[in-house]
Amino acid sequence: MTNKEYRNFWYTIKFFAIAFLGFIMGGFITSLRYDSEIRNDQVELKEDVAEVTKDKTVIDDLTKQLIFHIEQLELERERLRDLQLKLSKGEKIKCLIH
């Protein structure tokens, strides 16, 4: 092997070594970037989930209040029906207001 062949051999080895290290570093940097984007997406999703959970809680509270008021209205309607029946039969009512 001559000096020129020896130098060309080492240049080729160095080229492939540097190219290999470049690919490894590029892959590492790309994976870090993807990981940081995934973390940012996770933080945004956590905020969205918290907002949805808060909205669901508000909706549940409103639903419970609505159900309570509907039950109260049904009771009041029954009382008025009873009062109407008593009045139609001619019974004397002691107190119209409870």
Side-chain angles (χ1 to χ4, degrees):
M1 195 184 252
T2 64
N3 258 353
K4 189 175 182 179
E5 289 174 338
Y6 184 74
R7 276 185 296 166
N8 284 342
F9 174 74
W10 280 110
Y11 286 142
T12 306
I13 296 294
K14 287 179 185 178
F15 172 77
F16 283 116
I18 291 171
F20 183 70
L21 286 174
F23 286 131
I24 289 175
M25 287 175 42
F28 181 70
I29 291 170
T30 302
S31 71
L32 288 177
R33 195 177 92 224
Y34 286 157
D35 288 344
S36 71
E37 287 177 6
I38 289 171
R39 280 190 221 106
N40 288 339
D41 290 344
Q42 286 175 338
V43 168
E44 290 175 12
L45 285 174
K46 279 184 180 180
E47 292 171 0
D48 291 345
V49 167
E51 187 175 321
V52 167
T53 304
K54 185 173 79 174
D55 290 345
K56 186 179 182 301
T57 304
V58 169
I59 290 170
D60 287 344
D61 289 344
L62 289 173
T63 305
K64 287 176 185 176
Q65 287 179 3
L66 182 63
I67 289 172
F68 174 76
H69 288 296
I70 289 172
E71 289 172 350
Q72 293 299 317
L73 286 172
E74 287 175 352
L75 288 174
E76 189 64 30
R77 182 180 292 156
E78 285 181 30
R79 288 183 193 141
L80 288 173
R81 219 179 274 139
D82 290 343
L83 181 62
Q84 186 180 22
L85 285 173
K86 287 179 181 179
L87 287 174
S88 67
K89 290 180 181 178
E91 293 181 21
K92 293 185 179 177
I93 304 299
K94 292 182 183 175
C95 179
L96 294 176
I97 301 173
H98 294 246

